[in-house]
Amino acid sequence: MTALFFILLLVTFIAIFKKKYQTSLKLYGLFVVLWIAFFIPHLIRTINIQL
């Protein structure tokens, strides 16, 4: 999953450098959503909070 995040950020920065701002904003939004969806449950398990 970490490799997916790295690749997604890499593609986002490539889109920024090619001046495709609309695409880069969508990719960055996707990165943020995936990051939140992956790391928040991981953080909850680490802290041992049971919902």
Side-chain angles (χ1 to χ4, degrees):
M1 197 63 154
T2 305
L4 174 69
F5 291 141
F6 177 74
I7 291 170
L8 188 58
L9 269 182
L10 187 64
V11 170
T12 302
F13 288 127
I14 289 171
I16 289 171
F17 289 131
K18 290 187 175 186
K19 300 187 191 278
K20 296 183 179 182
Y21 297 109
Q22 202 68 358
T23 304
S24 64
L25 287 176
K26 289 177 185 176
L27 288 172
Y28 186 70
L30 180 64
F31 169 77
V32 169
V33 168
L34 285 175
W35 186 81
I36 289 171
F38 182 73
F39 284 108
I40 295 298
H42 177 71
L43 185 65
I44 289 172
R45 273 185 258 124
T46 303
I47 298 175
N48 290 326
I49 297 175
Q50 294 183 0
L51 299 176

